[in-house]
Amino acid sequence: MAEADGAAAAPRPDPDPDDGTWIEPPLCAECGALVRTYPTNYDRWVSLAMVELPAKDVPEAFRWRLARLPARSPIPTDIVAVRVRGIDPLPSEPVVPAHRMICIPEWGEP
C-alpha cells in the first residue's frame, strides 16, 4: 500500500535539542526542490509538495490532506498525511499533491 501511495520517504531526523539553528525543509534528491515530509496514518513517510492545489488539478493517485491528530494519539506527532480516498473532494477544494507528481529530475548541463 505504501509503495502504491508513494509513501517511501525517509523519516525526518530528530533535531538535536541543544542545536539552535534553523531546520530547513529537505530537498528532493531527483530534482532539488524543497519538499515537506510527513508521517502517514499507516506508519510510513511521504514527501509532499510545498503548495496546495485545487483537487481538479491533481490526479486522484496524488491527493493528500494534512490532518491534526487528537491530543491522546499513540503517534508522536501532531500532523499526519492522509490519502484522499472514498469521497472525492470538490473540484475547488485544496489538496496537497505528492511531490512525485511535480518532480522533474535534473538532467544536468546540456
Side-chain angles (χ1 to χ4, degrees):
M1 183 163 111
E3 191 172 315
D5 286 346
R12 291 181 296 207
D14 289 331
D16 182 7
D18 296 329
D19 188 5
T21 59
W22 182 259
I23 299 174
E24 295 290 330
L27 297 175
C28 174
E30 297 290 322
C31 68
L34 294 174
V35 294
R36 297 190 286 180
T37 305
Y38 283 99
T40 64
N41 55 337
Y42 49 87
D43 199 30
R44 296 286 187 257
W45 291 74
V46 64
S47 295
L48 301 177
M50 296 294 287
V51 297
E52 290 184 341
L53 296 173
K56 65 180 177 156
D57 296 338
V58 180
E60 273 186 52
F62 300 105
R63 295 178 185 165
W64 291 82
R65 284 201 179 102
L66 298 177
R68 287 205 169 276
L69 292 176
R72 294 180 177 231
S73 170
I75 302 172
T77 187
D78 61 341
I79 296 177
V80 294
V82 179
R83 277 270 289 119
V84 178
R85 295 180 195 232
I87 300 173
D88 287 334
L90 296 173
S92 62
E93 193 172 345
V95 295
V96 181
H99 174 72
R100 66 188 178 125
M101 181 190 105
I102 58 174
C103 185
I104 301 173
E106 293 180 347
W107 297 104
E109 301 279 332

